[in-house]
């Protein structure tokens, strides 16, 4: 890549987005079409896809093979794992997470969409809104994804009829609005034929909105972690104890949100001890300020007992510490989560023992009703839990910070991830999502 191109890309914004949809809705084909028509794949990649397609008897290149990278995915013709793809246009850089469509892989969408600013939910125009569509919409709402694109695919198989698209868009938008999804953009497409993916469709002159790529290039990226509450989970304490640095004590980690600057008063949680930032090292060089996603080493004026798992926060903006957490969760393990279940709770860089005190409700996706006190959550269930931790934790509300308001529950016996949680995110009786103070 030339210097000019690198400089141009450095000035464009970055959009993280995820795709989701039911089985055979054409997600992988859509992603392949995006990459192919935006000229974001190399010639040898295209040649490999053409050879693989020919060996399977396809008349042309099967663009879904550009994303289905696992052997099992290629053999079965389905997406199993989350596939990340990086591409760029002249207007924006993209990190795409292609998530599976099978219901048993819904949990993988939590991984793909947890950091996304936009989610593309595909619907087969012949089938309309199905249970998996509702599940993906609920997850997008729970994960606070700011933008949702409804891509009504396979319009070529319904004669490109506007009435079919309009009915699906109306039903989905009403459902998503009940969930609290802030924005839905509906686009009629044919991923296989390329209609309205990168180029406008000549077959749907009744549609005057953007193509998928045009919307991806122009949607405002408003979820800026640098303007969130400043948080630095400590990953490692650096004490070289060499002749050159006999008194050096630095606290290293990746800034989860916000920014820190030299001279700022900070508090260490959960101990509550305070000090001032004496210095910040970034890539071995001192800097005056550092912000979200940068990996830094912070030096403090006072000698405080700090270890891995502690959290550095501005003293004027410290979250409360608590041992009682109420959260909305998506259960991802095959083994059920039950009341009384003893688990490990990982929040940032800190892992503590915990117990599931109660499971107040489970969400029924068909009508957004709450099934009270189910006693357990099984794989892919969405519900509310109350957790008691062995040690106090500084947990933000997920509505305030997606990074420091989230956690996972882990099986202490084998290290399996059981549940992904969003602290203080609660689904109300009418399906709305709001902050809940514990």
């Amino acid at each position: 890549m030339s210097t000019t191109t690198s400089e141009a890309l450095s000035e464009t914004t970055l959009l993280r987005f995820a795709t989701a949809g039911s089985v055979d809705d054409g997600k992988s084909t859509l992603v392949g079409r995006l990459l192919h028509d935006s000229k974001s794949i190399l010639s040898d990649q295209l040649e490999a896809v053409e050879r693989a397609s020919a060996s399977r008897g396809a008349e042309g290149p099967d663009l879904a093979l550009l994303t289905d990278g696992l052997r099992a995915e290629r053999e079965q013709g389905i997406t199993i794992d989350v596939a990340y793809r990086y591409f760029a246009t002249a207007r924006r850089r993209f990190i795409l997470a292609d998530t599976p469509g099978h219901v048993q892989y819904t949990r993988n969408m939590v991984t793909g969409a947890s950091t996304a600013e936009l989610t593309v939910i595909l619907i087969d125009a012949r089938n309309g809104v199905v249970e998996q569509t509702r599940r993906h919409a609920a997850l997008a709402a729970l994960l606070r994804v700011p933008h949702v694109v409804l891509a009504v695919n396979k319009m070529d198989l319904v004669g490109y009829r506007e009435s079919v698209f309009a009915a699906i868009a109306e039903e989905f938008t009403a459902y998503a609005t009940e969930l609290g999804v802030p924005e839905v953009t509906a686009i009629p497409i044919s991923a296989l034929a390329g209609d309205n993916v990168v180029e406008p469709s000549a077959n749907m002159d009744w549609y005057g909105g953007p193509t998928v790529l045009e919307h991806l290039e122009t949607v405002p990226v408003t979820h800026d972690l640098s303007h969130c509450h400043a948080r630095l989970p400590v990953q490692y304490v650096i004490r070289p104890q060499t002749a050159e640095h006999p008194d050096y004590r630095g606290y290293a980690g990746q800034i989860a949100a916000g920014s820190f600057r030299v001279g700022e008063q900070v508090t260490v949680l959960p101990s509550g001890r305070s000090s001032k930032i004496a210095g910040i090292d970034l890539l071995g060089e001192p800097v005056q300020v550092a912000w979200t996603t940068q990996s830094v080493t912070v030096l403090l004026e006072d000698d405080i007992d700090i270890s891995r798992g502690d959290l550095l926060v501005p003293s004027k903006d410290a979250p409360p510490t608590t041992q009682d957490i109420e959260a909305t969760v998506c259960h991802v393990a095959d083994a059920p989560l039950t009341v009384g279940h003893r688990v490990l709770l990982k929040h940032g860089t800190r892992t503590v023992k915990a117990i599931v005190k109660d499971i107040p409700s489970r969400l029924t996706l068909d009508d957004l009703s709450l099934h009270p006190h189910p006693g357990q959550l099984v794989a892919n269930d969405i519900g509310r839990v109350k957790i008691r931790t062995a040690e106090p934790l500084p947990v933000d509300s997920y509505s305030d910070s997606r990074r420091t308001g989230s956690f996972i529950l882990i099986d202490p016996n084998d290290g399996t991830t059981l549940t992904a949680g969003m602290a203080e995110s609660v689904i109300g009786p009418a399906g709305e999502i709001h902050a809940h103070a514990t």
Side-chain angles (χ1 to χ4, degrees):
M1 183 180 293
S2 68
T3 303
T4 303
T5 305
S6 298
E7 291 174 352
L9 289 178
S10 69
E11 294 175 359
T12 60
T13 54
L14 171 67
L15 176 70
R16 298 174 181 268
F17 73 101
T19 59
S22 300
V23 179
D24 295 329
D25 277 355
K27 287 184 299 75
S28 295
T29 302
L30 170 62
V31 174
R33 175 64 64 183
L34 267 175
L35 297 174
H36 179 271
D37 288 8
S38 64
K39 297 178 174 57
S40 299
I41 58 173
L42 301 175
S43 58
D44 58 341
Q45 290 178 300
L46 183 58
E47 290 172 2
V49 167
E50 290 173 342
R51 287 195 300 271
S53 302
S55 67
R56 296 170 59 173
E59 295 182 2
D62 182 356
L63 298 179
L65 298 179
L66 286 169
T67 55
D68 290 336
L70 298 179
R71 177 179 295 178
E73 293 176 329
R74 290 174 179 262
E75 291 174 349
Q76 298 179 46
I78 63 172
T79 301
I80 296 174
D81 201 2
V82 180
Y84 290 94
R85 291 294 178 267
Y86 308 85
F87 68 101
T89 66
R91 305 175 74 174
R92 180 167 279 177
R93 293 174 294 133
F94 302 95
I95 298 178
L96 176 148
D98 183 27
T99 64
H102 278 64
V103 63
Q104 63 264 40
Y105 301 126
T106 300
R107 51 200 171 192
N108 294 42
M109 183 188 170
V110 176
T111 301
S114 61
T115 59
E117 292 137 286
L118 181 147
T119 295
V120 179
I121 298 179
L122 266 78
I123 288 181
D124 187 325
R126 299 169 300 175
N127 301 327
V129 177
V130 297
E131 181 185 359
Q132 192 70 336
T133 308
R134 291 189 285 269
R135 186 182 299 273
H136 287 145
L139 285 175
L142 291 172
L143 293 167
R144 300 277 176 173
V145 181
H147 308 282
V148 170
V149 171
L150 173 68
V152 182
N153 192 24
K154 304 189 180 182
M155 288 296 296
D156 53 315
L157 300 183
V158 295
Y160 295 107
R161 295 197 304 274
E162 181 181 6
S163 58
V164 174
F165 168 73
I168 293 173
E170 182 179 1
E171 180 183 354
F172 179 87
T173 301
Y175 183 85
T177 300
E178 283 191 71
L179 284 168
V181 173
E183 178 186 280
V184 176
T185 300
I187 304 175
I189 68 169
S190 170
L192 188 63
D195 293 286
N196 285 337
V197 178
V198 172
E199 300 295 334
S201 171
N203 298 304
M204 291 178 278
D205 54 5
W206 45 263
Y207 172 74
T211 65
V212 173
L213 182 61
E214 183 181 353
H215 184 70
L216 294 177
E217 288 183 322
T218 56
V219 67
V221 180
T222 57
H223 191 74
D224 188 353
L225 288 170
S226 63
H227 293 94
C228 295
H229 306 285
R231 305 288 186 258
L232 173 61
V234 177
Q235 294 178 323
Y236 189 66
V237 179
I238 299 176
R239 292 194 66 191
Q241 296 180 307
T242 61
E244 294 181 23
H245 306 283
D247 301 318
Y248 187 98
R249 184 195 292 259
Y251 309 102
Q254 184 184 54
I255 299 176
S259 60
F260 292 87
R261 65 178 61 248
V262 174
E264 185 176 13
Q265 187 83 16
V266 293
T267 297
V268 182
L269 297 175
S271 71
R273 298 283 301 277
S274 296
S275 182
K276 281 187 177 181
I277 297 179
I280 301 175
D281 289 343
L282 174 65
L283 299 176
E285 299 292 335
V287 295
Q288 289 297 306
V289 61
W291 51 86
T292 306
T293 72
Q294 290 184 328
S295 295
V296 299
T297 301
V298 172
L299 294 84
L300 301 181
E301 290 183 354
D302 303 291
D303 188 4
I304 300 178
D305 183 17
I306 301 175
S307 58
R308 173 181 169 84
D310 287 345
L311 186 70
L312 295 181
V313 302
S315 297
K316 60 183 179 181
D317 185 28
T321 58
T322 181
Q323 288 181 260
D324 294 292
I325 300 172
E326 187 166 350
T328 300
V329 302
C330 177
H331 188 59
V332 300
D334 293 326
L337 184 75
T338 58
V339 175
H341 206 137
R342 295 187 180 275
V343 296
L344 296 177
L345 186 151
K346 180 172 173 50
H347 173 255
T349 56
R350 190 177 190 85
T351 303
V352 301
K353 294 180 180 179
I355 185 171
V356 178
K357 299 291 289 184
D358 189 20
I359 303 177
S361 60
R362 183 184 71 238
L363 177 66
T364 303
L365 293 176
D366 287 335
D367 57 5
L368 295 179
S369 63
L370 296 177
H371 178 76
H373 301 287
Q376 67 176 15
L377 297 177
V378 299
N380 298 311
D381 273 351
I382 299 170
R384 283 175 53 196
V385 299
K386 293 182 178 179
I387 302 165
R388 175 78 174 179
T389 60
E391 305 170 31
L393 291 174
V395 181
D396 285 300
S397 167
Y398 187 82
S399 60
D400 292 333
S401 174
R402 295 170 77 189
R403 289 286 297 275
T404 53
S406 59
F407 62 87
I408 60 173
L409 300 182
I410 301 171
D411 188 324
N413 297 316
D414 59 12
T416 301
T417 298
L418 300 173
T419 308
M422 287 72 75
E424 303 180 348
S425 290
V426 175
I427 306 173
E432 74 273 16
I433 299 173
H434 55 86
H436 178 87
T438 57

